[in-house]
Amino acid sequence: MIESAAEAAMFPPIEPYRSGFLAVDDIHTLYWEECGNPDGVPVLFLHGGPGGGLSPRQRRFFDPAHYRIVLFDQRGAGQSTPLGEYHNNTTQLLIADIERLRVMLGIEQWLVFGGSWGSTLALAYGQAHPQCCLGFVLRGIFLCTRAEIDWFLNGIRWFFPDVHAQFAAPIPPDERRDLLQAYAQRLFSEDPAVYMPAARSWSRYEGSCLFLRPDPDAIDDFSSDAVALGIGRLEAHYFLHDGFLADDQLIRNVGRIRHLPAVIVQGRYDVVCPPLSAMRLHEAWPEAKFHMVADAGHSGYEPGIAAALVAATEQFKQRQRFD
């Protein structure tokens, strides 16, 4: 029911009119695709995770008659290769990848759309290259601070104690004081018999907390090997390094993009990325429009959030700003 209600708010399914692979170094090759109108207003979709990868539904937040929709799998995610590769994988390198893709596609400026970790990367990219951005649609804000990382690993148990207990269960009791380090030791093992169960457990934990009302299909999807390896390894890798960002960097540097139109869409009951981060961003960026969705958790596919995101892209289509 959640999926069908969300889909009712979105545009019909579409297929890419062009796709390809871009080698960005000796290790990583990125999958990218374009959908919609080749002559339309460019929009860049940034997926979550890190390591979450693309889904066909992500093409559907945009009017395909108006937008030139660009999507890509970040390093180590989705159809990019190698899956789950954390070497040569930093925020700064992802920003460079985005610029390389923009130049390759001959795009001067684009609207930047990102949720969860995608909002982190959107802010970091925009602050590094504001001249390349038309504006921002940001959902489920994650600033990648130490407090947010600690919340994800430990605080969620206040709302999902059973799910958190399952997350901690594979770790011996004497290692549970630092779940990030304990999981990292397993996720970064060279032995698939060690790293794959850890990746499934990590990814299932996140998938179980995404929706206001748990979605069994999402939990199953996050538990699949193709999703779990990217999510588990890369989230742990980025969390160990505080997202490769300085302390509160995305708040401190928001002045670099405050002149650009932006909208923040946040679920009131988002347990994965709690609303305080969205509020902090709005306080630092009061010009950005702020929509708190009263009956939603974290996922972009909950009805109220999907509707708000589509409304935002429609507003930008009509007025090049947000209401």
Side-chain angles (χ1 to χ4, degrees), residues 22-194:
L22 174 65
V24 291
D25 63 15
D26 293 339
I27 300 176
H28 293 276
T29 298
L30 308 183
Y31 170 78
W32 59 270
E33 63 182 41
E34 290 188 274
C35 310
N37 181 355
D39 299 315
V41 174
V43 57
L44 173 68
F45 181 94
L46 297 174
H47 68 68
L54 298 180
S55 160
R57 285 193 292 179
Q58 294 162 349
R59 306 166 186 157
R60 299 177 55 191
F61 293 108
F62 316 96
D63 180 352
H66 180 79
Y67 285 105
R68 178 184 177 185
I69 310 159
V70 180
L71 309 93
F72 79 104
D73 285 317
Q74 298 159 29
R75 294 184 182 216
Q79 297 184 64
S80 293
T81 59
L83 178 64
E85 180 56 71
Y86 55 93
H87 295 98
N88 286 12
N89 203 328
T90 69
T91 302
Q92 291 71 34
L93 288 170
L94 298 184
I95 290 170
D97 292 344
I98 294 170
E99 273 298 273
R100 190 165 179 172
L101 184 62
R102 182 187 66 80
V103 172
M104 183 193 77
L105 296 176
I107 293 171
E108 183 176 351
Q109 293 179 305
W110 44 15
L111 177 65
V112 182
F113 181 115
S116 194
W117 162 256
S119 75
T120 321
L121 185 56
L123 290 166
Y125 169 75
Q127 291 172 8
H129 299 283
Q131 73 283 358
C132 302
C133 302
L134 295 171
F136 301 88
V137 179
L138 306 171
R139 187 267 307 166
I141 302 302
F142 181 57
L143 302 172
C144 213
T145 61
R146 177 51 49 184
E148 290 165 295
I149 293 168
D150 180 70
W151 171 267
F152 178 85
L153 291 159
N154 302 297
I156 285 179
R157 72 178 183 270
W158 287 95
F159 287 88
F160 289 89
D162 50 341
V163 175
H164 190 273
Q166 293 172 0
F167 176 56
I171 305 300
D174 61 345
E175 295 184 56
R176 291 178 190 170
R177 288 187 301 274
D178 193 338
L179 287 172
L180 180 55
Q181 287 292 342
Y183 263 94
Q185 290 177 17
R186 292 155 177 83
L187 288 165
F188 303 142
S189 166
E190 298 298 320
D191 184 356
V194 175

Side-chain angles (χ1 to χ4, degrees), residues 275-298:
L276 179 59
S277 296
M279 193 68 190
R280 290 189 66 229
L281 179 62
H282 183 51
E283 288 172 349
W285 195 355
E287 298 86 356
K289 301 300 179 182
F290 185 32
H291 298 289
M292 187 78 80
V293 181
D295 57 350
H298 181 65

Side-chain angles (χ1 to χ4, degrees), residues 190-210:
E190 298 298 320
D191 184 356
V194 175
Y195 68 68
M196 277 311 309
R200 291 187 204 104
S201 177
W202 179 295
S203 189
R204 187 175 183 85
Y205 169 59
E206 180 171 342
S208 299
C209 303
L210 292 176

Side-chain angles (χ1 to χ4, degrees), residues 253-291:
N253 291 343
V254 78
R256 298 178 182 178
I257 53 176
R258 275 185 65 178
H259 63 289
L260 293 168
V263 61
I264 300 165
V265 176
Q266 179 70 37
R268 167 67 72 185
Y269 300 105
D270 187 339
V271 174
V272 177
C273 296
L276 179 59
S277 296
M279 193 68 190
R280 290 189 66 229
L281 179 62
H282 183 51
E283 288 172 349
W285 195 355
E287 298 86 356
K289 301 300 179 182
F290 185 32
H291 298 289

